[in-house]
Amino acid sequence: MTVIRSVIHGCGSYLPPRLVTNEELAKTVDTTDEWIQSRTGIRQRHIAADGELASTLALAAAKKALAQAGVAAETDLDLIVLATTTPDETFPATATTVQAALGMTGGAAFDVQAVCSGFVYALTVADSLLQTGQARTALVIGSEVFSRILDWDDRGTCVLFGDGAGAVVLRAEESAGLISDRGVLATKLHSDGRMHDALYVDGGPGATGTVGHVRMQGREVFRHAVVNMAQVVEEVIAAAGVTLDDVDWLVPHQANKRILDSTAKKLGIDPGKVVVTVDLHANTSAASVPLALDVAVQDGRIKRGDLVLMEAMGGGFTWGACLVRW
Ligand code: UT7
C-alpha cells in the first residue's frame, strides 16, 4: 500500500541588508552587549528598511527555495501557506501578494498566524493539504518584519527580535510509508489560550485600530518554552515510531540560546546536533525555524536522508513540532 508523503525539494532564506549589532543598539536603548549576549546569545539582528515588507522578504526567500527545487511558480505551484505576525496589510493575506509577484494564478494562497510557531503550523497545514490531494506542490514561508511591532523604549523586548524570511518547497509523492522514505513523517500542534497575557501585542484592528506593540513576561515564557518544546518533541518522535537517537538534526525556534540549551539538556540530545543561528539574526518569530534550516542545509550539515526535527513555541501560547526525512 502506498501513502502520500510531502517531500521537501528546496529551501531558501533572506535577511534584509541592514545589520544592527548589540553595540549599535546600546547607543539608543538602556542595555549592553554583555547583557544581551549573556542572557540570550544574540549578537546582532537584521532590520527591514522602510518599504521592505513581509511580502518583500518572503518573495526573496521563496525565489531561492523554488530555484533549488526546480519548481516554476507559474505552472507547478498550487499552494502557498505563509506564516506571519506582521502582514503587509490587515487583509488581503500576504500570501496572495507573494502569489501575484510569483506569477502564480491558480491554486490557493493564505496566511497562518501562530506567531513564533507559525512555520511549524504552516508546514503542518501544507502537509495535510498535500496528503488529502488538495494540492500537489506547496510553498511554505515564514516571514516577519517584527521590528514594526516592537516598542523601542522597552529594553526587555526590543533587543530580542529581528526581521527575516525562510521558505521550503514541498511536493506530494507516493511512498511506501517507511521511516526511511523521504518527506514529512509526523507533525504535532498545540495551543493554550489561557497564556495570552504572557506574550501578546497591545493592539489590533478590532481592539484598538492600531498594530500595537509586543508585551512579554520573559521569565514566564522561558519556563513554559522549555517544558512545552521538550514535550512536543517527545510526542512527535513517538508518533513517528523513532527515538531521539535516530534524529540527526534538531532545528529549534531561535528565541534564546539559553532556551535552546535548556531544551536540549532536558531532552538529553547531543548539543552538537542542535542548529543554532540565534546569534546571527535574533528571534525572527515565524521566520526563525526556516532561517536556521536553510543555514544548515546550505553549509552541508543537513543532507539527503537525514532525520530533521523542527520545533517552536510562541504567543498564544502555541507550540508544535515536525519530523522530516530530508
Ligand atoms: O518566541 C518566544 C518569544 N520570547 C522568548 O523566547 C523570551 C523568553 N524569555 C527570555 O528569553 C528571557 O526571560 C529574557 C531574555 C527576556 C530575560 O532574561 P531573564 O534572565 O529572564 O531576565 P529578567 O527579565 O528577569 O531581567 C533581569 C534584569 C532586570 O533588572 P532587575 O529588575 O533585576 O534590576 C531587567 O530590568 O535585567 C534587566 N533587563 C535588562 N538589562 C539590560 C531586562 N532587559 C534588559 C536589557 N539590558 N535589554
Side-chain angles (χ1 to χ4, degrees), residues 22 36 55 58 82 145 152 162 173 177 179 210 222 254 258 288 314:
N22 293 344
I36 301 172
S55 63
L82 187 150
V145 283
W152 290 96
E173 291 180 7
I179 292 291
T210 63
F222 193 118
Q254 307 287 318
R258 284 161 55 218
S288 93

Side-chain angles (χ1 to χ4, degrees), residues 30-31 35 39-40 116 155-156 159-160 199 216 218-219 221-222 253 255-256 258-259 283 313:
D30 181 16
T31 189
W35 191 94
R39 300 289 177 128
T40 71
C116 299
R155 67 177 184 172
V159 305
L160 304 174
L199 182 53
M216 181 172 71
R219 284 203 176 167
V221 178
F222 193 118
H253 170 47
N256 180 329
R258 284 161 55 218
I259 296 179
N283 182 348
M313 175 177 141

Side-chain angles (χ1 to χ4, degrees), residues 253-317:
H253 170 47
Q254 307 287 318
N256 180 329
K257 178 72 164 57
R258 284 161 55 218
I259 296 179
L260 304 191
D261 292 344
S262 302
T263 309
K265 195 172 166 202
K266 193 169 172 64
L267 288 167
I269 192 167
D270 171 5
K273 288 182 171 182
V274 183
V275 178
V276 180
T277 56
V278 66
D279 54 325
L280 302 175
H281 54 65
N283 182 348
T284 56
S285 184
S288 93
V289 168
L291 271 165
L293 186 68
D294 191 41
V295 166
V297 169
Q298 307 311 336
D299 71 18
R301 269 180 288 175
I302 295 178
K303 292 181 289 299
R304 196 182 170 115
D306 281 354
L307 197 54
V308 179
L309 180 52
M310 305 171 222
E311 41 96 330
M313 175 177 141
F317 289 153

Side-chain angles (χ1 to χ4, degrees), residues 12-13 25 48 58 74 76 81 85 102 114 131 135 159 161 174-175 188 197 210 271 288 305-306:
S13 63
L25 209 53
E74 299 87 345
D76 299 347
V81 187
T85 302
L102 287 172
Q131 284 196 47
V159 305
F161 296 92
E174 288 200 350
S175 143
K188 185 70 196 167
D197 292 355
T210 63
S288 93
D306 281 354

Side-chain angles (χ1 to χ4, degrees), residues 113-146:
Q113 161 59 297
V115 207
C116 299
S117 313
F119 184 78
V120 166
Y121 266 64
L123 192 59
T124 301
V125 170
D127 174 47
S128 304
L129 291 172
L130 293 190
Q131 284 196 47
T132 54
Q134 289 253 20
R136 296 285 307 163
T137 310
L139 176 63
V140 176
I141 311 172
S143 184
E144 298 281 14
V145 283
F146 220 77

Side-chain angles (χ1 to χ4, degrees), residues 5 176-183 185 239-242 246 305 307 323 325:
R5 279 267 169 87
L178 303 174
I179 292 291
S180 54
D181 289 348
R182 299 184 71 203
L185 302 183
V242 299
D246 299 319
L307 197 54
L323 186 68
R325 178 71 68 187

